């Protein structure tokens, strides 16, 4: 279990109203995450009110929650405070209406014996989010509360503006937490520490030393039961606007005045304001072979299951540096990396047969898996006579430090931050609207989808997109296994 630093646990008892409490996300992430936070001592005073379509009573919901936690938690809940957690669970069927929800919230508040904090988690499809907001408003549970919203935050600029206006009719912006689980991952936050705390890297984090950047999130996963959702969104809306652009902002932002939510959000939004409109000519859309045979997909569907694009940031730090983003389903590997290619030095002093530049530029690579990995590649001399160069690397892996057990899962970290009122890792209304704005040309005039084979790296045209560079994935050299060193 992670250790609890001073001041991290919320000051007040937390009452969580969990819409979509019987859905997939709640079963896989939210209920197990809340249980783990409670069992670890982060949430000593917690009450959960499940709200969903199922006609459960409290006992049925508790049984459902236990099954979800047993399937998705890596320890036996009966040995880690299940009776105490079970006692915190209540349930209101959606059909019971706002009055029943208000009564359940009042009952939980009474059990707190004083002041408490309401946190609403809307783990529901986008079409149901505003209905949940209206129910909270009708129940009188909006004032002073916090609301966590799941993506997507609109599907274009017009819908994003409309959604934000309707949200702001009930909640102030400082009450809204638009969640992006990518930013909740420890390695994403480590980018800020790596950039700004190290004199070795901070001075070279700009166009004078960096040639190009890749943010690459291929997935081997199929769509499963998300086909209907995907037909309305596609890879760009699902992944790029709400995930990859957010990671780009962490990588490209200017130093904030402090590591506080306000300054960090402002620097992220400056990146978004400097992001140039996406040019459809610099985008590759793909669809894996067989997608049109999936249930609910039309025989002529134009939905992309893959997207790769080049984007540019028009500011003093990054002018002229291309950023390449790629993500897709049914691809060769599942990875989440940021790869930064440094400019190459003059080569004239090295013999022609030295091997200089034959293996590409030096790279700094962040692996955004839950346990952070960082690799720095460089040329070094091959042992022996003459001047032959080989690509070598320095690597760091979090699991080697013995601190891996302190890492919170992304949803756990973000739920805890929302309970504490910390907006650092959440998206703002202004930021989201700006991202839809720069996406307008692409959404209005998308290039045709090109097919790719499942298990591949996408359509062949991605290589023209990144030329004269090369995609960093697939890696030529795997991450080193420390257990094999010296074997």
């Amino acid at each position: 279990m992670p250790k609890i630093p001073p001041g991290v646990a919320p000051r007040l008892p937390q009452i969580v109203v969990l819409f979509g409490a019987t859905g997939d996300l709640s079963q896989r992430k939210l209920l197990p995450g809340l249980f783990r936070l409670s069992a670890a001592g982060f949430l000593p005073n917690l009450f959960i009110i499940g709200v969903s379509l199922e006609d459960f009573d409290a006992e049925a919901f508790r049984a459902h929650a236990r099954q979800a936690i047993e399937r998705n938690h890596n320890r036996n809940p009966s040995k880690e405070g299940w009776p105490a957690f079970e006692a915190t669970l209540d349930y209101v069927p959606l059909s019971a209406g706002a009055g029943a929800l208000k009564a359940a919230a009042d009952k939980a508040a009474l059990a707190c014996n004083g002041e408490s904090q309401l946190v609403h988690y809307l783990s529901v499809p986008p079409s149901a989010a505003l209905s949940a907001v209206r129910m909270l408003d009708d129940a009188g549970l909006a004032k002073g509360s916090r609301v966590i919203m799941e993506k997507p935050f609109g599907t274009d600029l017009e819908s994003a503006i409309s959604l934000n206006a309707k949200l702001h009719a009930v909640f102030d912006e400082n009450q809204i937490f638009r969640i992006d689980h990518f930013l909740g991952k420890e390695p994403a936050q480590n980018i800020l520490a790596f950039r700004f705390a190290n004199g070795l890297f901070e001075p070279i984090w700009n166009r004078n030393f960096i040639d190009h950047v890749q943010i690459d999130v291929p997935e081997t996963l199929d769509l499963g039961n998300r086909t209907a959702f995907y037909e309305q969104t596609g890879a760009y809306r699902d992944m790029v606007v709400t995930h990859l652009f957010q990671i780009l902002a962490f990588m490209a932002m200017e130093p904030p005045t402090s590591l506080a939510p306000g300054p960090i959000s402002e620097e992220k939004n400056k990146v978004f304001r400097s992001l140039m409109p996406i040019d459809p000519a610099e985008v590759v859309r793909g669809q894996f072979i067989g997608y049109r045979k999936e249930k609910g997909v039309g025989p002529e569907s134009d939905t992309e299951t893959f997207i790769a694009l080049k984007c540019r940031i028009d500011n003093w730090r990054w002018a002229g540096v291309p950023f390449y983003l790629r993500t897709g389903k049914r691809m060769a590997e599942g990875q989440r990396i940021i790869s930064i290619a440094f400019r190459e030095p003059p080569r004239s002093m090295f013999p022609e047969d030295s091997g200089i530049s034959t293996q590409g530029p030096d790279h700094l690579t962040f692996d955004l898996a839950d346990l952070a990995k960082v690799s720095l590649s460089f040329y070094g001399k091959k042992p022996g006579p003459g001047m032959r160069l080989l690509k070598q690397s320095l690597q760091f892996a979090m699991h080697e430090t013995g601190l891996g057990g302190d890492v919170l899962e992304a949803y756990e970290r973000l739920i805890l931050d929302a309970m504490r009122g910390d907006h650092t890792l959440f998206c703002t209304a202004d930021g989201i609207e700006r991202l839809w704005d720069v996406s307008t040309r692409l959404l209005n005039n998308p290039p045709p989808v090109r097919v790719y084979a499942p298990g591949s790296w996408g359509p062949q045209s991605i290589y023209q997109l990144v030329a004269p560079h090369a995609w960093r994935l697939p890696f030529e050299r795997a991450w080193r296994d420390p257990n094999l060193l010296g074997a």
Side-chain angles (χ1 to χ4, degrees), residues 1 33-43 73 80-82 85:
M1 285 291 182
L34 287 165
F35 173 74
R36 187 167 185 253
L37 290 172
S38 176
F42 285 100
L43 302 175
H73 192 272
E80 296 193 24
W82 171 255
F85 185 76

Side-chain angles (χ1 to χ4, degrees), residues 120-328:
H120 312 300
Y121 199 121
L122 309 189
S123 178
V124 294
S127 58
L130 290 176
S131 296
V133 169
R134 285 193 294 272
M135 185 174 179
L136 291 170
D137 192 25
D138 292 343
L141 299 178
K143 185 178 180 180
S145 67
R146 294 166 181 154
V147 59
I148 302 175
M149 303 283 298
E150 277 287 338
K151 70 176 180 73
F153 314 114
T155 55
D156 54 21
L157 179 58
E158 182 181 0
S159 62
I161 291 173
S162 175
L163 174 63
N164 285 328
K166 290 173 181 175
L167 287 174
H168 290 154
V170 178
F171 296 101
D172 294 335
E173 177 64 18
N174 63 8
Q175 294 177 265
I176 303 170
F177 294 78
R178 299 171 186 83
I179 198 166
D180 172 15
H181 71 271
F182 270 47
L183 294 188
K185 292 181 176 296
E186 195 76 27
Q189 301 159 53
N190 195 40
I191 295 170
L192 297 181
F194 195 94
R195 281 190 60 187
F196 299 128
N198 292 296
L200 178 62
F201 293 102
E202 192 280 330
I204 62 172
W205 211 268
N206 56 60
R207 58 186 166 83
N208 297 318
F209 298 95
I210 292 176
D211 184 74
H212 66 277
V213 178
Q214 295 180 28
I215 302 175
D216 211 348
V217 187
E219 297 180 297
T220 59
L221 299 174
D222 205 334
L223 291 169
N225 58 6
R226 299 180 72 226
T227 307
F229 166 79
Y230 226 72
E231 274 293 280
Q232 300 174 16
T233 56
Y236 184 81
R237 289 179 169 93
D238 182 45
M239 290 292 293
V240 176
V241 175
T242 49
H243 291 325
L244 273 63
F245 279 156
Q246 302 297 326
I247 294 293
L248 181 149
F250 261 37
M251 188 272 157
M253 64 190 277
E254 295 296 319
T257 55
S258 69
L259 292 178
I264 288 178
S265 291
E266 175 56 23
E267 295 305 333
K268 284 174 57 186
N269 286 341
K270 285 180 183 178
V271 173
F272 298 149
R273 291 195 289 270
S274 300
L275 194 62
M276 299 181 70
I278 305 303
D279 184 352
E282 296 181 326
V283 176
V284 175
R285 296 169 68 236
Q287 186 184 93
F288 66 77
I289 297 171
Y291 173 76
R292 293 178 180 178
K293 297 180 180 179
E294 298 275 346
K295 183 179 179 181
V297 177
E300 297 183 2
S301 172
D302 190 49
T303 301
E304 80 276 2
T305 61
F306 170 96
I307 190 94
L309 63 146
K310 180 194 295 186
C311 55
R312 297 177 177 85
I313 299 172
D314 187 21
N315 64 15
W316 192 260
R317 183 180 292 267
W318 297 113
V321 178
F323 287 73
Y324 299 98
L325 281 55
R326 176 173 65 169
T327 187

Side-chain angles (χ1 to χ4, degrees), residues 343-406:
R343 295 193 182 277
E344 297 189 73
R347 312 166 192 169
S348 56
M349 65 179 285
F350 292 94
E352 288 187 8
D353 63 349
S354 67
I356 184 70
S357 297
T358 58
Q359 299 181 57
D362 299 339
H363 282 88
L364 177 64
T365 302
F366 294 88
D367 187 328
L368 300 181
D370 285 335
L371 293 180
K373 294 180 183 176
V374 182
S375 173
L376 178 63
S377 69
F378 58 92
Y379 282 101
K381 182 184 177 299
K382 181 179 180 180
M387 179 57 72
R388 294 287 298 168
L389 303 180
L390 292 175
K391 206 72 169 186
Q392 300 170 354
S393 67
L394 299 172
Q395 294 188 5
F396 162 82
M398 180 64 73
H399 67 261
E400 297 175 10
T401 67
L403 298 175
D406 290 351

